[in-house]
Amino acid sequence: MHNPDVTAVFELPDEAATQAVGEKLAPALKPGMVVFLEGDLGVGKTTLSRALIQALGHAGPVKSPTYSLVEVYVISSLYLYHFDFYRFESPEEFLDAGFDEYFNDAALCLVEWPERAQGCLPPADLRLRLYHAGVGRVLEAVADSPEGQACLDALIPAMGAANS
Protein backbone atom coordinates (compact mmCIF):
# COMPACT_ATOMS: atom_id res chain seq x y z
CA MET A 1 0.00 0.00 0.00
CA HIS A 2 1.42 3.36 -1.04
CA ASN A 3 1.19 6.63 0.88
CA PRO A 4 -1.88 8.78 0.09
CA ASP A 5 0.22 11.86 -0.75
CA VAL A 6 1.97 10.04 -3.60
CA THR A 7 1.22 11.54 -7.00
CA ALA A 8 2.64 8.72 -9.16
CA VAL A 9 4.27 5.32 -8.75
CA PHE A 10 6.88 3.93 -11.14
CA GLU A 11 8.01 0.30 -11.20
CA LEU A 12 11.76 0.19 -11.91
CA PRO A 13 12.76 -3.40 -12.65
CA ASP A 14 16.42 -2.60 -13.36
CA GLU A 15 19.07 0.12 -13.51
CA ALA A 16 18.07 1.05 -17.08
CA ALA A 17 14.54 1.87 -15.88
CA THR A 18 15.98 4.10 -13.13
CA GLN A 19 18.13 5.87 -15.70
CA ALA A 20 15.09 6.31 -17.97
CA VAL A 21 13.26 8.21 -15.21
CA GLY A 22 16.17 10.65 -14.95
CA GLU A 23 16.39 11.06 -18.71
CA LYS A 24 12.66 11.68 -19.11
CA LEU A 25 12.37 13.95 -16.07
CA ALA A 26 15.30 16.20 -17.00
CA PRO A 27 13.59 18.34 -19.68
CA ALA A 28 10.74 19.23 -17.30
CA LEU A 29 13.00 20.57 -14.53
CA LYS A 30 13.50 24.32 -14.32
CA PRO A 31 15.84 26.72 -12.50
CA GLY A 32 14.61 27.51 -9.00
CA MET A 33 13.37 23.98 -8.36
CA VAL A 34 14.34 21.75 -5.45
CA VAL A 35 14.16 17.96 -5.86
CA PHE A 36 14.53 15.62 -2.89
CA LEU A 37 15.81 12.08 -3.52
CA GLU A 38 14.83 9.86 -0.60
CA GLY A 39 15.51 6.22 0.22
CA ASP A 40 17.94 3.79 1.77
CA LEU A 41 21.52 3.22 0.68
CA GLY A 42 21.77 1.50 -2.69
CA VAL A 43 18.26 2.22 -3.99
CA GLY A 44 19.44 4.27 -6.98
CA LYS A 45 19.36 7.93 -5.91
CA THR A 46 22.75 8.67 -7.46
CA THR A 47 21.97 6.56 -10.54
CA LEU A 48 18.82 8.59 -11.14
CA SER A 49 20.69 11.86 -10.51
CA ARG A 50 23.52 10.88 -12.86
CA ALA A 51 21.10 10.09 -15.70
CA LEU A 52 19.23 13.34 -15.11
CA ILE A 53 22.41 15.46 -15.10
CA GLN A 54 23.69 13.80 -18.27
CA ALA A 55 20.30 14.21 -19.97
CA LEU A 56 20.47 17.94 -19.22
CA GLY A 57 23.67 18.07 -21.28
CA HIS A 58 26.59 17.47 -18.92
CA ALA A 59 29.14 15.49 -20.93
CA GLY A 60 31.72 14.71 -18.24
CA PRO A 61 31.64 12.29 -15.33
CA VAL A 62 28.96 12.66 -12.66
CA LYS A 63 30.41 11.85 -9.25
CA SER A 64 28.48 11.02 -6.11
CA PRO A 65 28.67 13.97 -3.70
CA THR A 66 28.86 11.66 -0.66
CA TYR A 67 32.29 12.94 0.42
CA SER A 68 32.29 16.43 -1.10
CA LEU A 69 28.67 17.10 0.06
CA VAL A 70 27.95 19.00 -3.17
CA GLU A 71 28.93 18.66 -6.81
CA VAL A 72 28.41 21.71 -9.03
CA TYR A 73 27.45 21.48 -12.70
CA VAL A 74 27.10 24.44 -15.06
CA ILE A 75 25.07 23.29 -18.04
CA SER A 76 24.51 26.10 -20.53
CA SER A 77 23.07 28.85 -18.30
CA LEU A 78 21.77 26.40 -15.66
CA TYR A 79 23.52 26.00 -12.33
CA LEU A 80 22.80 22.53 -10.96
CA TYR A 81 23.83 21.57 -7.44
CA HIS A 82 23.78 17.90 -6.47
CA PHE A 83 23.88 17.52 -2.68
CA ASP A 84 24.33 14.45 -0.50
CA PHE A 85 23.79 15.02 3.24
CA TYR A 86 24.29 11.40 4.33
CA ARG A 87 27.34 12.32 6.41
CA PHE A 88 25.63 15.15 8.32
CA GLU A 89 25.50 14.65 12.08
CA SER A 90 22.95 17.47 12.53
CA PRO A 91 20.83 19.73 10.30
CA GLU A 92 22.79 22.80 11.42
CA GLU A 93 25.74 21.58 9.33
CA PHE A 94 23.71 22.71 6.30
CA LEU A 95 23.70 26.31 7.57
CA ASP A 96 27.29 26.15 8.83
CA ALA A 97 28.42 25.15 5.32
CA GLY A 98 26.56 28.09 3.75
CA PHE A 99 24.54 25.79 1.52
CA ASP A 100 21.41 27.92 1.94
CA GLU A 101 22.95 30.36 -0.59
CA TYR A 102 22.86 27.68 -3.30
CA PHE A 103 19.06 27.49 -3.22
CA ASN A 104 17.92 30.36 -5.46
CA ASP A 105 15.83 31.11 -8.55
CA ALA A 106 18.76 30.51 -10.92
CA ALA A 107 19.70 27.06 -9.57
CA LEU A 108 18.33 23.54 -9.79
CA CYS A 109 19.07 21.64 -6.58
CA LEU A 110 19.03 17.84 -6.29
CA VAL A 111 19.23 16.72 -2.67
CA GLU A 112 20.02 13.20 -1.50
CA TRP A 113 19.32 12.48 2.19
CA PRO A 114 17.28 15.69 2.74
CA GLU A 115 16.08 14.42 6.13
CA ARG A 116 19.64 14.96 7.45
CA ALA A 117 19.14 18.74 6.94
CA GLN A 118 15.49 18.81 7.99
CA GLY A 119 14.27 22.21 9.12
CA CYS A 120 17.07 24.02 7.27
CA LEU A 121 16.26 23.14 3.67
CA PRO A 122 13.71 25.02 1.61
CA PRO A 123 10.64 22.96 0.71
CA ALA A 124 10.89 20.55 -2.19
CA ASP A 125 9.02 21.01 -5.43
CA LEU A 126 9.32 17.31 -6.10
CA ARG A 127 10.10 14.37 -3.79
CA LEU A 128 11.32 11.13 -5.34
CA ARG A 129 11.22 8.19 -2.88
CA LEU A 130 12.99 5.04 -3.98
CA TYR A 131 12.41 1.63 -2.36
CA HIS A 132 13.80 -1.86 -2.90
CA ALA A 133 11.19 -4.16 -4.47
CA GLY A 134 12.55 -7.65 -5.03
CA VAL A 135 15.45 -7.30 -7.47
CA GLY A 136 14.10 -3.97 -8.73
CA ARG A 137 12.94 -0.69 -7.26
CA VAL A 138 9.76 1.32 -6.83
CA LEU A 139 9.74 5.10 -7.18
CA GLU A 140 7.01 7.06 -5.45
CA ALA A 141 6.87 10.62 -6.76
CA VAL A 142 5.25 13.44 -4.79
CA ALA A 143 4.63 16.91 -6.23
CA ASP A 144 4.75 19.58 -3.53
CA SER A 145 4.36 22.61 -5.81
CA PRO A 146 2.75 23.49 -9.15
CA GLU A 147 6.23 23.25 -10.74
CA GLY A 148 6.68 19.76 -9.30
CA GLN A 149 3.25 18.75 -10.59
CA ALA A 150 4.17 20.03 -14.07
CA CYS A 151 7.24 17.75 -13.99
CA LEU A 152 5.10 14.75 -13.08
CA ASP A 153 2.51 15.69 -15.70
CA ALA A 154 5.31 15.36 -18.27
CA LEU A 155 6.85 12.24 -16.72
CA ILE A 156 3.74 10.12 -16.13
CA PRO A 157 2.83 9.56 -19.80
CA ALA A 158 6.51 9.13 -20.73
CA MET A 159 6.98 6.36 -18.13
CA GLY A 160 3.52 4.81 -18.04
CA ALA A 161 3.13 5.36 -14.28
CA ALA A 162 0.12 4.37 -12.26
CA ASN A 163 -1.53 7.42 -10.73
CA SER A 164 -2.40 7.13 -7.06
Side-chain angles (χ1 to χ4, degrees):
M1 189 73 166
H2 296 290
N3 297 328
D5 65 337
V6 171
T7 308
V9 178
F10 303 91
E11 302 292 332
L12 306 175
D14 53 27
E15 185 175 346
T18 303
Q19 292 168 336
V21 169
E23 292 165 2
K24 291 179 165 96
L25 179 60
L29 296 172
K30 306 288 181 227
M33 292 186 72
V34 176
V35 179
F36 288 177
L37 296 124
E38 303 168 343
D40 292 336
L41 286 170
V43 294
K45 297 180 298 291
T46 301
T47 297
L48 194 153
S49 297
R50 183 175 291 120
L52 190 152
I53 292 165
Q54 290 171 335
L56 285 170
H58 179 72
V62 176
K63 298 186 301 184
S64 170
T66 299
Y67 293 100
S68 61
L69 301 178
V70 63
E71 291 292 334
V72 179
Y73 301 93
V74 180
I75 305 165
S76 187
S77 62
L78 174 69
Y79 283 84
L80 187 147
Y81 301 105
H82 181 198
F83 296 93
D84 184 331
F85 298 138
Y86 179 74
R87 298 198 174 283
F88 274 12
E89 298 286 328
S90 73
E92 290 75 28
E93 290 181 62
F94 173 84
L95 298 174
D96 292 345
F99 288 146
D100 53 324
E101 296 178 15
Y102 288 75
F103 291 79
N104 60 62
D105 291 342
L108 172 60
C109 294
L110 305 178
V111 182
E112 296 186 37
W113 300 96
E115 65 275 12
R116 303 278 175 116
Q118 189 171 10
C120 297
L121 283 170
D125 294 289
L126 188 60
R127 287 181 286 145
L128 304 175
R129 299 176 185 150
L130 289 149
Y131 299 95
H132 291 282
V135 296
R137 309 288 187 269
V138 171
L139 169 63
E140 293 180 344
V142 180
D144 286 330
S145 73
E147 294 80 8
Q149 187 60 54
C151 290
L152 290 183
D153 289 346
L155 183 62
I156 289 168
M159 293 298 297
N163 284 329
S164 296

